[in-house]
Amino acid sequence: MGHTETDHQHYMHLAAELAREHMHAGAGGPFGAVIVHQGGVIGRGWNQVTSGHDPTAHAEVSAIRDACRTHSTFSLAGSAIYTTCEPCPMCLGAIWWARIDTIYYANTRDDAARIGFDDAALYREVSLDLHERQLPLVRHHSDEATALMREWLAKEDKIPY
């Protein structure tokens, strides 16, 4: 990315300020994130789980949504995300799908667990084979769903992602 230590400190400070401002305003937990591309912030997010009534509105997901919506894209390739805490598995998946190049984080998952945000069960769950998971995944075959896969494969005007 070519960022200096001063740049890293600046972007992490922006993420922390977003977290602090919105946490004290009652938006959600102590988490903030910014997405940086070519030396500028293109997306900002903070935890909005409780205020937005959305369990997926973590800071990282909110920042990704902001950047993608603002720049009319679904790919953030070439970008970095600065987040105040190590991303949970959901956020890590979102960062992966957004194609962000690098994750810079401050607090660890253990730090988060110490203040009541424990993702350990989820980390364990996703590492298990499907039949061993606590939350059942039950496959139900559907000819219609299978046909959708064939239709997508044959679709000439699709936008691959």
PDB file of all heavy atoms in Angstrom, residues 124-137:
ATOM      1  N   ARG A 124     -15.232 -21.195  16.191  1.00  0.00           N
ATOM      2  CA  ARG A 124     -15.243 -22.652  16.324  1.00  0.00           C
ATOM      3  C   ARG A 124     -16.243 -23.270  15.359  1.00  0.00           C
ATOM      4  O   ARG A 124     -15.954 -24.250  14.681  1.00  0.00           O
ATOM      5  CB  ARG A 124     -15.605 -23.056  17.757  1.00  0.00           C
ATOM      6  CG  ARG A 124     -14.443 -23.115  18.709  1.00  0.00           C
ATOM      7  CD  ARG A 124     -14.810 -23.799  20.034  1.00  0.00           C
ATOM      8  NE  ARG A 124     -16.019 -23.267  20.650  1.00  0.00           N
ATOM      9  CZ  ARG A 124     -16.073 -22.169  21.403  1.00  0.00           C
ATOM     10  NH1 ARG A 124     -14.990 -21.473  21.636  1.00  0.00           N
ATOM     11  NH2 ARG A 124     -17.206 -21.769  21.935  1.00  0.00           N
ATOM     12  N   GLU A 125     -17.433 -22.689  15.296  1.00  0.00           N
ATOM     13  CA  GLU A 125     -18.516 -23.230  14.463  1.00  0.00           C
ATOM     14  C   GLU A 125     -18.098 -23.324  12.999  1.00  0.00           C
ATOM     15  O   GLU A 125     -18.303 -24.357  12.362  1.00  0.00           O
ATOM     16  CB  GLU A 125     -19.764 -22.347  14.622  1.00  0.00           C
ATOM     17  CG  GLU A 125     -20.973 -22.820  13.868  1.00  0.00           C
ATOM     18  CD  GLU A 125     -21.809 -23.875  14.578  1.00  0.00           C
ATOM     19  OE1 GLU A 125     -21.418 -24.354  15.654  1.00  0.00           O
ATOM     20  OE2 GLU A 125     -22.860 -24.237  14.032  1.00  0.00           O
ATOM     21  N   VAL A 126     -17.513 -22.277  12.445  1.00  0.00           N
ATOM     22  CA  VAL A 126     -17.176 -22.300  11.022  1.00  0.00           C
ATOM     23  C   VAL A 126     -16.010 -23.228  10.715  1.00  0.00           C
ATOM     24  O   VAL A 126     -15.811 -23.601   9.556  1.00  0.00           O
ATOM     25  CB  VAL A 126     -16.903 -20.887  10.451  1.00  0.00           C
ATOM     26  CG1 VAL A 126     -18.134 -20.015  10.552  1.00  0.00           C
ATOM     27  CG2 VAL A 126     -15.714 -20.229  11.098  1.00  0.00           C
ATOM     28  N   SER A 127     -15.255 -23.632  11.723  1.00  0.00           N
ATOM     29  CA  SER A 127     -14.147 -24.552  11.490  1.00  0.00           C
ATOM     30  C   SER A 127     -14.586 -26.017  11.500  1.00  0.00           C
ATOM     31  O   SER A 127     -13.819 -26.891  11.120  1.00  0.00           O
ATOM     32  CB  SER A 127     -13.050 -24.336  12.540  1.00  0.00           C
ATOM     33  OG  SER A 127     -13.484 -24.783  13.807  1.00  0.00           O
ATOM     34  N   LEU A 128     -15.821 -26.277  11.915  1.00  0.00           N
ATOM     35  CA  LEU A 128     -16.323 -27.654  12.007  1.00  0.00           C
ATOM     36  C   LEU A 128     -16.890 -28.130  10.674  1.00  0.00           C
ATOM     37  O   LEU A 128     -17.338 -27.336   9.848  1.00  0.00           O
ATOM     38  CB  LEU A 128     -17.427 -27.740  13.069  1.00  0.00           C
ATOM     39  CG  LEU A 128     -17.027 -27.424  14.509  1.00  0.00           C
ATOM     40  CD1 LEU A 128     -18.266 -27.374  15.402  1.00  0.00           C
ATOM     41  CD2 LEU A 128     -16.025 -28.446  15.028  1.00  0.00           C
ATOM     42  N   ASP A 129     -16.905 -29.458  10.495  1.00  0.00           N
ATOM     43  CA  ASP A 129     -17.614 -30.035   9.354  1.00  0.00           C
ATOM     44  C   ASP A 129     -19.099 -29.733   9.512  1.00  0.00           C
ATOM     45  O   ASP A 129     -19.602 -29.574  10.627  1.00  0.00           O
ATOM     46  CB  ASP A 129     -17.412 -31.552   9.304  1.00  0.00           C
ATOM     47  CG  ASP A 129     -16.001 -31.944   8.892  1.00  0.00           C
ATOM     48  OD1 ASP A 129     -15.332 -31.150   8.199  1.00  0.00           O
ATOM     49  OD2 ASP A 129     -15.566 -33.061   9.265  1.00  0.00           O
ATOM     50  N   LEU A 130     -19.805 -29.661   8.392  1.00  0.00           N
ATOM     51  CA  LEU A 130     -21.220 -29.284   8.418  1.00  0.00           C
ATOM     52  C   LEU A 130     -22.039 -30.126   9.398  1.00  0.00           C
ATOM     53  O   LEU A 130     -22.866 -29.593  10.133  1.00  0.00           O
ATOM     54  CB  LEU A 130     -21.827 -29.384   7.021  1.00  0.00           C
ATOM     55  CG  LEU A 130     -21.286 -28.413   5.976  1.00  0.00           C
ATOM     56  CD1 LEU A 130     -22.024 -28.608   4.655  1.00  0.00           C
ATOM     57  CD2 LEU A 130     -21.395 -26.980   6.445  1.00  0.00           C
ATOM     58  N   HIS A 131     -21.811 -31.421   9.435  1.00  0.00           N
ATOM     59  CA  HIS A 131     -22.610 -32.295  10.295  1.00  0.00           C
ATOM     60  C   HIS A 131     -22.291 -32.139  11.783  1.00  0.00           C
ATOM     61  O   HIS A 131     -23.029 -32.631  12.638  1.00  0.00           O
ATOM     62  CB  HIS A 131     -22.461 -33.760   9.861  1.00  0.00           C
ATOM     63  CG  HIS A 131     -21.095 -34.333  10.122  1.00  0.00           C
ATOM     64  ND1 HIS A 131     -20.027 -34.116   9.276  1.00  0.00           N
ATOM     65  CD2 HIS A 131     -20.637 -35.085  11.139  1.00  0.00           C
ATOM     66  CE1 HIS A 131     -18.966 -34.718   9.764  1.00  0.00           C
ATOM     67  NE2 HIS A 131     -19.295 -35.323  10.893  1.00  0.00           N
ATOM     68  N   GLU A 132     -21.202 -31.442  12.115  1.00  0.00           N
ATOM     69  CA  GLU A 132     -20.812 -31.249  13.512  1.00  0.00           C
ATOM     70  C   GLU A 132     -21.245 -29.897  14.074  1.00  0.00           C
ATOM     71  O   GLU A 132     -21.068 -29.636  15.262  1.00  0.00           O
ATOM     72  CB  GLU A 132     -19.285 -31.365  13.651  1.00  0.00           C
ATOM     73  CG  GLU A 132     -18.747 -32.740  13.303  1.00  0.00           C
ATOM     74  CD  GLU A 132     -17.225 -32.771  13.334  1.00  0.00           C
ATOM     75  OE1 GLU A 132     -16.589 -31.712  13.134  1.00  0.00           O
ATOM     76  OE2 GLU A 132     -16.678 -33.856  13.563  1.00  0.00           O
ATOM     77  N   ARG A 133     -21.824 -29.053  13.253  1.00  0.00           N
ATOM     78  CA  ARG A 133     -22.144 -27.692  13.687  1.00  0.00           C
ATOM     79  C   ARG A 133     -23.374 -27.639  14.590  1.00  0.00           C
ATOM     80  O   ARG A 133     -24.298 -28.435  14.446  1.00  0.00           O
ATOM     81  CB  ARG A 133     -22.340 -26.789  12.476  1.00  0.00           C
ATOM     82  CG  ARG A 133     -21.051 -26.596  11.715  1.00  0.00           C
ATOM     83  CD  ARG A 133     -21.185 -25.578  10.635  1.00  0.00           C
ATOM     84  NE  ARG A 133     -19.922 -25.453   9.922  1.00  0.00           N
ATOM     85  CZ  ARG A 133     -19.757 -24.704   8.871  1.00  0.00           C
ATOM     86  NH1 ARG A 133     -20.762 -23.977   8.398  1.00  0.00           N
ATOM     87  NH2 ARG A 133     -18.591 -24.636   8.276  1.00  0.00           N
ATOM     88  N   GLN A 134     -23.350 -26.668  15.487  1.00  0.00           N
ATOM     89  CA  GLN A 134     -24.470 -26.446  16.414  1.00  0.00           C
ATOM     90  C   GLN A 134     -25.705 -25.971  15.663  1.00  0.00           C
ATOM     91  O   GLN A 134     -26.819 -26.385  15.961  1.00  0.00           O
ATOM     92  CB  GLN A 134     -24.042 -25.405  17.444  1.00  0.00           C
ATOM     93  CG  GLN A 134     -25.108 -25.029  18.429  1.00  0.00           C
ATOM     94  CD  GLN A 134     -24.604 -23.973  19.399  1.00  0.00           C
ATOM     95  OE1 GLN A 134     -23.432 -23.904  19.715  1.00  0.00           O
ATOM     96  NE2 GLN A 134     -25.512 -23.148  19.859  1.00  0.00           N
ATOM     97  N   LEU A 135     -25.505 -25.074  14.697  1.00  0.00           N
ATOM     98  CA  LEU A 135     -26.610 -24.569  13.882  1.00  0.00           C
ATOM     99  C   LEU A 135     -26.754 -25.495  12.674  1.00  0.00           C
ATOM    100  O   LEU A 135     -25.867 -25.550  11.830  1.00  0.00           O
ATOM    101  CB  LEU A 135     -26.322 -23.136  13.418  1.00  0.00           C
ATOM    102  CG  LEU A 135     -27.382 -22.456  12.576  1.00  0.00           C
ATOM    103  CD1 LEU A 135     -28.698 -22.322  13.350  1.00  0.00           C
ATOM    104  CD2 LEU A 135     -26.893 -21.083  12.132  1.00  0.00           C
ATOM    105  N   PRO A 136     -27.853 -26.243  12.615  1.00  0.00           N
ATOM    106  CA  PRO A 136     -27.992 -27.228  11.536  1.00  0.00           C
ATOM    107  C   PRO A 136     -28.041 -26.586  10.149  1.00  0.00           C
ATOM    108  O   PRO A 136     -28.697 -25.565   9.949  1.00  0.00           O
ATOM    109  CB  PRO A 136     -29.331 -27.914  11.834  1.00  0.00           C
ATOM    110  CG  PRO A 136     -29.651 -27.559  13.249  1.00  0.00           C
ATOM    111  CD  PRO A 136     -28.988 -26.259  13.528  1.00  0.00           C
ATOM    112  N   LEU A 137     -27.315 -27.164   9.224  1.00  0.00           N
ATOM    113  CA  LEU A 137     -27.401 -26.833   7.815  1.00  0.00           C
ATOM    114  C   LEU A 137     -28.047 -28.042   7.152  1.00  0.00           C
ATOM    115  O   LEU A 137     -27.447 -29.114   7.089  1.00  0.00           O
ATOM    116  CB  LEU A 137     -26.021 -26.588   7.204  1.00  0.00           C
ATOM    117  CG  LEU A 137     -25.450 -25.196   7.379  1.00  0.00           C
ATOM    118  CD1 LEU A 137     -24.813 -25.046   8.739  1.00  0.00           C
ATOM    119  CD2 LEU A 137     -24.469 -24.895   6.276  1.00  0.00           C
TER     120      LEU A 137
END
